Amino acid sequence: MKIIITKDYQELTERASQIVISLMEKNPQAILGLATGSTPLGLYARLVEKYKKQVISFSQIKTFNLDEYCNIPKLHPQSYYYYMHWHLFNHIDIKPENINIPKSGGDDYDVLCQDYNEKLKENIIDLQILGIGNNGHIGFNEPGTPFDKETHIVELADATRQANKRFFNSIEEVPQYAITMGINNIMQAKKILLLASGLAKADIMKEVIFGGVTEEVPASILKTHSDVTIIIDNEAASKLK
Ligand code: PGA
């Protein structure tokens, strides 16, 4: 596991974008695994900027998102479909058919999970970008999720709903369920880039880096992957010293 500590969020964004851009330059058909949340926002803004300056093109890039809330309309401002289009896809030349976000409508969630798993098996992710929850979740794989899980429906932990309520009018509006890639899917990626920023992530980053590999800390599994880079800003790294 390679750990890069940056002086602030801006430098974290810069280092992360260098990794993504260099992969896209080497492999214009790369398959990217994408995350939502506040942490990758700077990275997406930087990628849009580089696209506008014609440094990179997404015309042959494919993307797979980690997760989506259940029973949320695509165009709800808090859906991850909306987030991805608002912050990235609407501003770049990606082909709509190359965008993959777990579907969350309809009533047969088993079929939706199976379909996403099949697509992931046909498309091995070259670079998976991850944020981390305060409780150690990656995607929406909450503490206690078996490491061998593939795409599945999850009941969101209270800690996650509390952390995400800042985006909604009230806690009642935060969805209770989500569809998420499983840890097994995430671990199939050839390369993984985990980003963590801010004091709220300091305790969990200490646990991930110094603690054991346990399903109680989902991100701890990353220590067993052969190509993981963690970029962490000074605040999130404040308990590592
Ligand atoms: P954040 O969320 O980037 O908004 O901190 C990360 C996560 O919950 O996975």
Side-chain angles (χ1 to χ4, degrees), residues 36-40 131-133 137 139 164 166-167 201:
T36 50
S38 37
T39 314
I132 181 169
H137 75 204
N164 289 4
R166 65 192 196 277
F167 301 116
K201 302 290 166 67

Side-chain angles (χ1 to χ4, degrees), residues 9-225:
Y9 178 71
Q10 203 181 336
E11 192 190 343
L12 174 150
T13 288
E14 189 52 41
R15 298 293 293 265
S17 62
Q18 280 162 5
I19 292 174
V20 178
I21 290 164
S22 117
L23 171 80
M24 288 175 64
E25 283 171 345
K26 274 191 222 117
N27 179 6
Q29 301 184 344
I31 303 180
L32 302 179
L34 301 179
T36 50
S38 37
T39 314
L41 284 175
L43 167 63
Y44 296 150
R46 200 94 181 97
L47 294 178
V48 169
E49 196 184 309
K50 292 288 180 182
Y51 163 72
K52 288 191 171 152
K53 289 186 178 155
Q54 299 182 340
V55 177
I56 47 172
S57 164
F58 291 80
S59 63
Q60 300 175 77
I61 296 285
K62 265 193 193 177
T63 62
F64 280 84
N65 264 80
L66 283 168
D67 46 21
E68 177 61 285
Y69 290 119
C70 284
N71 299 323
I72 195 164
K74 271 186 178 176
L75 296 182
H76 187 291
Q78 296 310 330
S79 80
Y80 291 160
Y81 178 96
Y82 189 93
Y83 167 115
M84 288 309 307
H85 285 77
W86 182 261
H87 294 292
L88 183 64
F89 298 148
N90 287 350
H91 313 287
I92 56 174
D93 61 344
I94 191 161
K95 295 196 176 88
E97 63 270 28
N98 286 341
I99 295 172
N100 297 277
I101 300 175
K103 292 202 178 79
S104 82
D107 43 22
D108 202 338
Y109 276 103
D110 284 347
V111 173
L112 295 178
C113 291
Q114 217 176 313
D115 285 353
Y116 210 62
N117 278 329
E118 271 162 29
K119 274 195 192 164
L120 286 168
K121 280 179 189 142
E122 287 158 12
N123 294 278
I124 303 299
I125 290 173
D126 292 295
L127 174 64
Q128 175 66 56
I129 293 154
L130 295 176
I132 181 169
N134 300 350
N135 63 1
H137 75 204
I138 46 177
F140 270 137
N141 293 282
E142 302 288 22
T145 307
F147 286 149
D148 61 0
K149 276 267 191 191
E150 297 191 322
T151 307
H152 63 286
I153 301 297
V154 62
E155 181 170 6
L156 298 178
D158 282 346
T160 301
R161 294 185 68 234
Q162 288 293 344
N164 289 4
K165 83 170 181 223
R166 65 192 196 277
F167 301 116
F168 292 83
N169 293 321
S170 67
I171 185 77
E172 289 74 32
E173 278 187 23
V174 184
Q176 288 183 328
Y177 293 90
I179 176 168
T180 183
M181 266 190 214
I183 290 180
N184 189 313
N185 303 113
I186 293 172
M187 291 293 283
Q188 303 305 316
K190 293 182 195 158
K191 187 176 177 65
I192 295 179
L193 180 59
L194 175 80
L195 308 177
S197 166
L199 281 177
K201 302 290 166 67
D203 285 324
I204 195 65
M205 288 315 296
K206 183 178 174 194
E207 230 173 302
V208 168
I209 291 170
F210 295 123
V213 176
T214 161
E215 288 175 351
E216 289 314 310
V217 182
S220 65
I221 188 70
L222 300 176
K223 290 200 236 206
T224 68
H225 189 283

